[in-house]
Each structure stands twice: as structure tokens, then as C-alpha cells.
Amino acid sequence: MKEKLLDIRDEYLSFFTPAGEIKALNGVSFSMDEGEVLGIVGESGSGKSVTAYSIMGLTAYPGRLVSGSIRFNGHEVEKMSEKELRKMRGNEVSIIFQDPMTSLNPVYTIGNQIEEVILLHTDKTREEAKKRAKELLELVGINEPERRLKQYPHELSGGMRQRVMISIALACEPKLLIADEPTTALDVTIQAQILELMKELRSKLDMSIIMITHDLGVVASMCEKIAVMYAGHIVEYGTADEIFYEPGHEYTKGLIKSIPKLNSSEPERLVPIEGQPVDLLNPPKGCPFAPRCGSCMKICLREMPEKTELSETHYSYCWLHRKAEFEKGGGAE
Amino acid sequence: MGKYIVKRVGMGLLSIFVVATLTFFLMNMVPGGPFVAEKSISKAAQEALASKYGLDKPIMERYFTYITDFVKGDMGYSLRQRGRTVSDIIFSKFPVSAGLAGVAVAVALCVGIPLGCLSAYHRGKFGDRFIIVLATCGIAIPSFISSVVLLYTFGSRLNLLPTIGLNTFKSYIMPVTALAIYPAAYITRLMRSSLLDVMGQDYIRTAKAKGLAGFKVMFKHALRNAILPVVTYVGPMLAGLMTGSFIVEKIFTIPGLGREFVSSITNRDYTMIMGTTIILATLIIVANVIVDILYKIIDPRINLK
């Protein structure tokens, strides 16, 4: 079997705050092949970004990996020293953040910030780094790259800054690009442009992408595989078609139902998912989604559902898959 | 930029004029006069002195005379240090205080900025707490205590450093330390809190995600953004220190300007009060213009208009 580019097994990660242990990730497992595009969807606080940051060893204080393993590109990330992690960051794996307005340092020029990462990870001289920075700006579709290199972030628009962020991320040709809600802070038209650019770059550079978003439209158009996260669990995982056409978890169904439809003839109300997100300080015992689930059974409140494989690529964690079995055997009330 | 400086100089001159006017009328409202305290002087002599210095004239006339003379560069004679002009006193004493203040501020910056960085870098750990305790002490201990402790320990008991004047390099050590403790402690705390604030910014996360080492993130990406509050503080503080510290100059017997501030007021030495106040106002205004220009250099987003 081919070595996976990324293989996360049973990752538990908590933030140890004065108020108590916030269990951000509760047994996250998934893997990615080279060249694959994975979308991670879920609401705020579901652990999407935390998962992605942990791949880079960038978990913010006071967060800590409790158990589990992260294999990336032949590294055992959880065992790497800070120095080894630094060599990997920005080089083998890089990231694009949500808000391009604040993600670039306001006091340094664009050129300086792109060249910095090139100089750090390659043996290029200043001149070569500058040339490479210019190429990168051309690659991400910025006009007059020569002039832009000398400009400061505040002199560029939001879309342009996100392009600069992408060029920084791509500078060392990473194997994996993590895009943490790259379009959330942008105008709709700019969003489309940035997504188009990412698709184009992906086929050009042949890299894997993890797309973190809460916008199902974005994942539908970009990703081959989708992981749906809820309260630090991956509740469902499958190909884009499987997730959209045969959702196997009530939360996924709820998410899909809450998308407005453009082509319906009747005026329709959006269907929200009722209830509040889980309090991660005191997560419920059973299925985390049970308190908000319309089809909740008694067992759901008691025990965490088991993994149910729906196809070779599709699995979900939901007791409903075994409802028939329970009814027959009388095991579930 | 040039236009901006011209504008600021104009504004500055106006401010100095306002300060001079206010000071002039306020000090004349205070009871007493320059020759009142001297009991030995007869009434006739007092009147003679008053008329010699023009103090018998109506206040508005004195005000206009002072302002016109001042514009010509004449700040008049000191009323108490007979025979010396105010400019003469200021120009002989100001360099002493300014030199001392310059060294003290340089020391405060060289100590405060690295300590603040260190403290922020090791946030929550022992080093951080130790530095914070030290800085808090530095802010809390008044300079007359630290001066006396220094003087007693190094000057008197250990006999290592000269206790009087500013004649050798060694004699600078104690007064500079006494003057620098407070600003150094203040800068440490300012630097720390500002750095911690900046370290939480998104662009710091970007820098970390690039794979930069912790100290590089701090010194390249955070420090330049975090130093603005320190610059803001140092400008006016330098101006304040340059005009001399009454306590430190008194304790270490330094012939600086600091003493003149206090004694001119208790003596009702009207011309001296005007002179010292105007020089302090000027320095503060100049310091603020320099701070604004430094802002522009440090942060390209700032637009000077």
C-alpha cells in the first residue's frame, strides 16, 4: 500500500484553561493520499482549525496533544522537537489563514515577507529569493509584481493580500496546503476568484489541500473527500458525492438542509439546526449531537456511537444505522 | 513631511506662547513677591528694587514688555541671582542636566526593552515573574530613596564611587542609576504588555507558520510593532528628565537645572519661572514632533498630515 501523506489516528487534544480542561479533539482519525483535496466542515468550535494546526505543531497555548498519533510525510509530528517542526513548517506544510487583512505584518513590505520564507528554507541568495518572490506573485495572479514587492500590506486590497498569503504558503512548494477558511473574510466575487486560483494552482503544482470551511458550497466545488466535524469528533467522512447525496449522520443532514436553495419555486424557510453547540468543558456522555438531534434515541444519550462503514470510502458515527437491529432485538428502547 | 514639520513648528510656537501667557498671569496671582521674604530690606529699598525690575508697573504692561523682549531673545535678569541673566543661568546649567538625562534614558532603554522582551518571551514562567517583581519595585521606589541607598552603599560604605558632582566618568554612575530606575522599570512593563498584545496578532501566527524561530518571530515581527508605546512614552519623559531632577541633583550635588525649577518658584523669581517653564514646554513640544516622525519611520501605515 502506498504511504499516506497524512495519517491521523485517535487524536485527543485539550486546552488546559483555569476553568478546566476543554476537550477540543476527542479521537479524531483520518488519512489523506498525496494530491487529494479534503474538506473539513463543521461549525465554529468543532475542532476544524485545531486539527489542522496540530499537523503543523502549532497548537496554541494552553492546548496540548493528549494522545494519538499524527504521521505526516514520513514524520511523527507528535514526537518532533520544536526545531524539527520549524524546518517542516512553511516548507513541507503551509497554511493560509482566514483573515488576510490581519495576517500580514503591517510594518514590512510584501517582498520582505515572501522572501523571508524562501531564505529560511532554501539556500537561495537574496537576489534569487527576490526573483522567486516575483515569480510567485505572477503565479497567484498579481499584476505589476515588481512594484507590489515594494509595497506594504495596507496598500493592497483584501483579495490581493490573500493572494500574497497564498504565494507565501506556496513559496517552498509544500506537499500539503492547509487553507483555514481562506475565503470567509472576502467579498463574494473575490471568494470565487480565490477558489478558482486555488483549484488552478492545485492542478499545476500537484499538492494536497485541506480546506477548512463552514461553507458547504466551497467544499462541494473543491473537495474530493469531506470530513464533517462536530464537538471534536469526525462524525462523518466520505466522498463529496456520498456526503451530499447520501448523508449518513443527522448533523450532516441538518447542515445540508440549512443551505438556501436557489431553484425552488415556492418561498421556503431555511431549516436551522436547533439548540446550542456542545459545551466542551463538559461534553455529554453519549453522541455529542444527541441533544440537538431530531431522531435521538435513548442509547444516543448514553453511549458514543460506533463507527459504521457505509461504503469503502464512507463512514459515520450514528446509532441510527443500527436502529432496525435494535428494534428487532429490542436492544434499544 | 517637510510641510508637516513646518506646520508642527508653527503649532509649537503657538503652544509656547499660550504656556508663557498662562504662566505669566498665574505666577503673578500667587501672593508674595521676589523681595518680600527678605526682612532686612527696608520698604524704600523694596520699592526701589521693584521699580528697577519694572515690577511696579501694571501687569498688562509688564506682560507686553516681557513678550516683546522674549521675542527679541531677551529673557531678562534673574530677580534673585543678581547680575545674571536668565538665559545665562539656563545655558550654563541645562547642558549638565541634559547630558545626565541623555545617559539615563539611554540606560533605561537598554535595560527596559530587553527585559520587557525577555519577560514577554517567558510569559508566566519564573523569569517573567522575577522581572515583573523587579519592575514593580523600580516603579514603586521613589528616587530619593534609591539615591540615598546608592549614596550610602557605594559612596559611603564601600567607598567605590564619588558622591559629589559630575567630574569623572565614575561620578555619573550613581545619579544615572537613580534617574534611570523608574523609566527602565516603566519601559519594561510597557514593552512586556505591548509585546504580549502583539504576540496575539494574526501576523505573528503567520510568522510562526512560516517556520521562523521563536526569537526571530519576536525580534523581527513583534518588536517593531510593539515598540510604538515605548516611543510615545520616551519622548516626553526625555524632555522631563532633561530639564533636571530636583531630588537627584540635590542629593548628588549636581549643578543642573532641576534645582532652579523649584527654587525659582519658592523665591518668586518671576523671570526664572518664565524661563524654566518655557524651556520645559519647548522640549516637550520638540520631543513630540520627533516621536511623530519616528512613528512614521516605524509604521508605514501612519500618515503624517
Side-chain angles (χ1 to χ4, degrees), chain B residues 28-256:
Chain B
N28 276 293
M29 278 161 66
V30 178
F35 314 117
V36 173
E38 294 179 35
K39 297 238 165 55
S40 55
I41 298 179
S42 67
K43 190 121 178 108
Q46 269 187 41
E47 273 165 17
L49 275 169
S51 106
K52 180 186 170 199
Y53 291 109
L55 294 177
D56 52 346
K57 299 210 176 78
I59 185 156
M60 287 315 283
E61 194 185 328
R62 279 161 51 204
Y63 171 67
F64 286 115
T65 318
Y66 184 81
I67 294 293
T68 38
D69 283 350
F70 180 76
V71 171
K72 287 181 212 150
D74 176 12
M75 290 200 273
Y77 281 91
S78 164
L79 304 185
R80 293 296 293 262
Q81 302 180 41
R82 307 270 153 74
R84 295 188 76 188
T85 63
V86 171
S87 358
D88 191 25
I89 297 170
I90 287 176
F91 286 115
S92 72
K93 295 193 167 177
F94 176 66
V96 178
S97 292
L100 196 62
V103 180
V105 169
V107 168
L109 284 171
C110 291
V111 173
I113 291 175
L115 277 185
C117 291
L118 217 66
S119 183
Y121 192 75
H122 296 287
R123 175 179 49 172
K125 297 193 188 128
F126 175 75
D128 175 31
R129 295 209 184 119
F130 182 71
I131 290 169
I132 286 304
V133 168
L134 221 63
T136 310
C137 291
I139 289 173
I141 296 171
S143 61
F144 61 86
I145 303 274
S146 49
S147 300
V148 170
V149 170
L150 283 169
L151 203 57
Y152 179 71
T153 328
F154 297 102
S156 159
R157 295 303 296 256
L158 301 174
N159 225 340
L160 284 173
L161 298 168
T163 55
I164 285 180
L166 278 180
N167 303 317
T168 60
F169 166 75
K170 265 170 114 183
S171 53
Y172 269 88
I173 295 175
M174 282 198 290
V176 162
T177 312
L179 279 178
I181 286 175
Y182 179 82
Y186 197 88
I187 290 168
T188 303
R189 293 179 61 105
L190 207 58
M191 195 70 236
R192 176 181 183 272
S193 64
S194 171
L195 260 179
L196 287 181
D197 187 40
V198 168
M199 289 302 276
Q201 298 286 325
D202 286 350
Y203 51 82
I204 297 299
R205 195 175 53 181
T206 308
K208 283 185 190 157
K210 280 177 176 174
L212 291 171
F215 69 88
K216 184 109 197 256
V217 172
M218 176 160 265
F219 287 103
K220 184 179 169 187
H221 286 273
L223 188 58
R224 188 158 161 191
N225 281 288
I227 203 134
L228 289 180
V230 176
V231 172
T232 316
Y233 167 70
V234 167
M237 181 204 58
L238 179 63
L241 277 182
M242 276 169 91
T243 46
S245 151
F246 174 73
I247 293 161
V248 172
E249 284 175 9
K250 187 99 186 162
I251 291 176
F252 292 103
T253 333
I254 292 162

Side-chain angles (χ1 to χ4, degrees), chain A residues 102-103 108 112-113 116 121, chain B residues 202 206 210 220-221 225:
Chain A
T102 55
S103 294
Y108 292 105
N112 184 322
Q113 295 187 57
E116 184 179 36
H121 293 295
Chain B
D202 286 350
T206 308
K210 280 177 176 174
K220 184 179 169 187
H221 286 273
N225 281 288

Side-chain angles (χ1 to χ4, degrees), chain A residues 95-106 113 153 161-162 164-165 168 180, chain B residues 201-207 210 221:
Chain A
I95 189 162
I96 310 168
F97 293 108
Q98 184 181 76
D99 192 351
M101 307 309 270
T102 55
S103 294
L104 288 165
N105 195 330
Q113 295 187 57
R161 285 191 226 180
Q162 195 60 299
V164 171
M165 282 302 290
I168 290 174
D180 186 4
Chain B
Q201 298 286 325
D202 286 350
Y203 51 82
I204 297 299
R205 195 175 53 181
T206 308
K210 280 177 176 174
H221 286 273

Side-chain angles (χ1 to χ4, degrees), chain A residues 185-237:
Chain A
L186 302 173
D187 290 343
V188 183
T189 46
I190 310 294
Q191 275 186 18
Q193 286 174 20
I194 295 287
L195 289 176
E196 206 46 55
L197 171 70
M198 287 186 62
K199 273 191 222 171
E200 189 191 311
L201 289 171
R202 189 220 151 190
S203 50
K204 229 188 246 179
L205 303 175
D206 191 34
M207 59 184 172
S208 309
I209 299 179
I210 293 182
M211 191 85 181
I212 298 168
T213 179
H214 46 241
D215 186 342
L216 285 170
V218 171
V219 282
S221 71
M222 276 208 68
C223 308
E224 290 137 15
K225 301 273 176 61
I226 296 173
V228 182
M229 287 195 76
Y230 188 79
H233 295 271
I234 291 188
V235 292
E236 184 169 6
Y237 180 95

Side-chain angles (χ1 to χ4, degrees), chain A residues 38 224-228 236-243 313-315:
Chain A
L38 170 75
E224 290 137 15
K225 301 273 176 61
I226 296 173
V228 182
E236 184 169 6
Y237 180 95
T239 63
D241 283 351
E242 284 164 339
I243 296 286
T313 49
H314 190 191
Y315 60 81

